Amino acid sequence: MLNKWKWNIHTNTCPARLLNPVRVSKESTATLVIHNVTLADSGTYGCVLVLTTRNPITSKVKLVVTSLPNITLNPSSSIIRVNESEGLFISCSAVGIPEPNVTWLRLRDGGKFRKNQGVGHVTINLSNITRNDSGIYNCCATNNPKENPTCRSTTISVQYKPEIDVVQSNDTVSSYNNGTVTIYCLANGVPSPLFTWYDPRNRSILTGSHTVTGVGVLELVTIDAGSYGLYKCKAENLLGYDEHIINVTQTGLKHLILLMVLMVLFMRKQSSKSCFENQVRQKLQKKGF
């Protein structure tokens, strides 16, 4: 009986926007196809099955045409810099049809952690912000379960004054006259701190120092007795500074003699080893190896 069925698009009730130009067609058994769908095509569509011996059977379906959400962040900067202990307020608005669901997510350690959610407009309010709040935050909006969420991200950079890591930094180092010693001073801070070194007379040292990603390095030549004493490392950025004292002491004569003896013994051992290897090599050559 199915091959005797006939169905038509009722032009009297079909909206003019679908007929001029024609954007509807029939496919397979009672399948209506709408081409180049627009927002105006949202609405209720009906199908009426007319029977010869019974009352018509009617079925209706609601079509919801969605538009991708358009997201606006305030502040709109991709990187937001804020000082530690201050407050930060970020809003996310999403416009679309239907009105999108909006969620703030924090990306951390490879995971996503929900911070807040709502419809159309959502905010995150970080009061008394700390350096642990630094990171990437995503605002995602969705209004169609068959579409991937639309997202925009911002990075929060929490700035704080330098703090010297006294555990990792040198505390006391030893050297000898005309010797060279390297001193390290490690500090955390955002922005990255700049390092200044001061000698035991509190005079700034202009040569022999450099910085490598949060580490102040001083190459110091200890010429005479005036080269020993308390050296100061100062780590500084826009928000403040921190200081650390490093004591440079003179190596005692006994320690210096012991060091020289050890070096002589090491050189003799290397020389003896080389002589033994030469003797073995000569014997092997005599035997034809």
Side-chain angles (χ1 to χ4, degrees):
M1 297 295 295
L2 199 60
N3 57 0
K4 296 183 178 180
W5 287 23
K6 293 182 180 180
W7 74 281
N8 295 294
I9 298 173
H10 205 303
T11 56
N12 292 337
T13 58
C14 184
R17 68 176 183 276
L18 297 177
L19 298 176
N20 187 21
V22 177
R23 293 193 293 115
V24 289
S25 63
K26 298 182 296 181
E27 289 187 8
S28 67
T29 303
T31 299
L32 177 68
V33 179
I34 302 176
H35 304 276
N36 300 323
V37 176
T38 68
L39 291 173
D41 296 330
S42 295
T44 301
Y45 292 78
C47 173
V48 180
L49 179 61
V50 180
L51 304 174
T52 57
T53 59
R54 296 174 55 186
N55 293 330
I57 300 174
T58 302
S59 178
K60 294 183 178 181
V61 62
K62 185 177 182 179
L63 173 64
V64 178
V65 181
T66 64
S67 63
L68 289 176
N70 183 26
I71 295 177
T72 301
L73 298 182
N74 186 23
S76 59
S77 303
S78 58
I79 300 179
I80 301 174
R81 294 178 173 85
V82 58
N83 296 339
E84 194 167 40
S85 78
E86 293 183 350
L88 179 62
F89 182 89
I90 312 176
S91 67
C92 177
S93 300
V95 178
I97 299 176
E99 191 173 23
N101 294 316
V102 184
T103 304
W104 270 111
L105 300 170
R106 183 182 181 184
L107 278 57
R108 187 176 184 180
D109 299 329
K112 297 180 180 180
F113 303 90
R114 183 184 301 167
K115 300 294 292 185
N116 202 0
Q117 61 181 348
V119 178
H121 180 85
V122 175
T123 62
I124 51 174
N125 188 5
L126 302 174
S127 59
N128 194 26
I129 199 168
T130 70
R131 64 197 69 176
N132 293 327
D133 294 316
S134 296
I136 300 174
Y137 292 75
N138 271 6
C139 177
C140 296
T142 179
N143 57 1
N144 187 337
K146 295 184 179 181
E147 298 283 350
N148 292 327
T150 300
C151 298
R152 282 193 60 184
S153 65
T154 187
T155 300
I156 297 177
S157 176
V158 180
Q159 303 182 136
Y160 55 96
K161 79 179 190 68
E163 296 177 356
I164 292 179
D165 187 340
V166 296
V167 175
Q168 298 295 326
S169 300
N170 287 126
D171 181 53
T172 301
V173 295
S174 299
S175 185
Y176 53 90
N177 288 354
N178 296 316
T180 301
V181 64
T182 303
I183 308 174
Y184 297 95
C185 181
L186 284 72
N188 299 311
V190 179
S192 294
L194 299 176
F195 293 86
T196 307
W197 292 89
Y198 297 87
D199 66 14
R201 296 183 182 181
N202 204 33
R203 298 173 301 186
S204 62
I205 301 174
L206 303 179
T207 59
S209 64
H210 61 278
T211 301
V212 182
T213 315
V215 181
V217 182
L218 176 64
E219 299 283 347
L220 177 65
V221 179
T222 49
I223 300 174
D224 51 29
S227 302
Y228 305 101
L230 301 180
Y231 284 76
K232 181 170 66 177
C233 162
K234 183 178 182 180
E236 186 173 13
N237 66 12
L238 297 174
L239 301 179
Y241 67 90
D242 195 10
E243 296 178 341
H244 179 60
I245 299 298
I246 300 170
N247 189 17
V248 178
T249 62
Q250 185 175 11
T251 301
L253 182 60
K254 291 183 179 180
H255 292 88
L256 185 57
I257 293 175
L258 178 60
L259 179 62
M260 295 176 65
V261 170
L262 290 174
M263 290 179 63
V264 171
L265 291 175
F266 176 77
M267 293 175 65
R268 286 182 177 178
K269 183 177 179 181
Q270 292 296 105
S271 178
S272 300
K273 180 180 178 182
S274 178
C275 291
F276 175 75
E277 290 176 348
N278 288 333
Q279 292 175 1
V280 172
R281 189 179 297 108
Q282 290 174 2
K283 291 181 178 179
L284 290 174
Q285 288 176 350
K286 288 180 180 180
K287 292 183 178 182
F289 289 97

